[in-house]
Amino acid sequence: MILIGPRGAGKTTAGRAVAERVGAGFTDLDDVVLSALGVASVTEAWARFGEPAFRSAEANALTAVMPSPPRVIALGGGTPTIPAAAAALDRARIDRKAIIAYLTAPAAVLHARISGDMLQDRPPLTGLAGMDEIEHLLTQRAPVYERLASVRIDTNSAGIDAIVDRLVDLWRQPTGSN
């Protein structure tokens, strides 16, 4: 199972909980990328290597972790926008090798969730501030998320337990792969 969506949608929180419930491994792709680049934060990675190198490392990390035993993988918000990553995700979905769940929430909710500690580890992506950046990124990325997703889950309309229950149900579907 691969979780995609914007910052603050709950990919890491839900992903860890799903993995624990189904007894699978969990991978936060950002952690893999940071380890590969030898840095402690996304902000440090962008400052030292720039966005193109970070995005390349993301695509490489995704390719490396996807063939792993069934696991839950939480992607960075921009990962699906990388052409190589989008192609790998599309192939996995079409070939039924992965369920791709698009987790989303309204811009105001995302802003409230990421205002604080999370912003310390995330570089600005557009030069816009706060809500303007979130709305801009949602406008740009939502069509990509929608195209790649097997399922869309609004993380604002239910509590984390209900979201995890839904993801666990998807994991256990006999026709799907994880």
Side-chain angles (χ1 to χ4, degrees):
M1 176 172 286
I2 300 172
L3 306 178
I4 64 174
R7 291 176 182 172
K11 300 178 301 282
T12 299
T13 301
R16 280 193 179 112
V18 170
E20 184 176 316
R21 291 245 314 259
V22 301
F26 173 73
T27 300
D28 184 324
L29 197 67
D30 280 347
D31 293 342
V32 177
V33 173
L34 296 179
S35 177
L37 293 175
V39 295
S41 71
V42 176
T43 299
E44 181 183 355
W46 282 47
R48 286 183 57 194
F49 304 108
E51 182 180 4
F54 183 84
R55 296 295 182 203
S56 177
E58 271 184 310
N60 292 337
L62 179 62
T63 302
V65 301
M66 280 179 66
S68 298
R71 64 187 319 99
V72 180
I73 304 169
L75 303 189
T79 307
T81 67
I82 305 163
L89 292 166
D90 211 26
R91 276 191 310 276
R93 181 183 47 79
I94 290 167
D95 294 344
R96 299 183 132 204
K97 293 185 177 181
I99 295 166
I100 301 175
Y102 167 25
L103 305 187
T104 189
V109 172
L110 296 171
H111 185 263
R113 288 179 184 171
I114 66 173
S115 295
D117 291 342
M118 185 183 244
L119 286 179
Q120 301 306 314
D121 185 35
R122 303 290 182 221
L125 301 172
T126 63
L128 300 171
M131 280 291 292
D132 291 334
E133 178 168 275
I134 292 167
E135 289 171 343
H136 178 78
L137 289 173
L138 283 175
T139 299
Q140 280 187 323
R141 294 176 175 177
V144 175
Y145 298 149
E146 292 282 354
R147 183 181 65 76
L148 293 170
S150 309
V151 64
R152 182 179 194 266
I153 299 172
D154 182 351
T155 63
N156 186 50
S157 63
I160 188 67
D161 291 335
I163 293 161
V164 171
D165 288 345
R166 174 86 193 281
L167 291 168
V168 167
D169 288 346
L170 289 167
W171 177 280
R172 293 182 174 150
Q173 284 182 354
T175 58
S177 259
N178 303 302

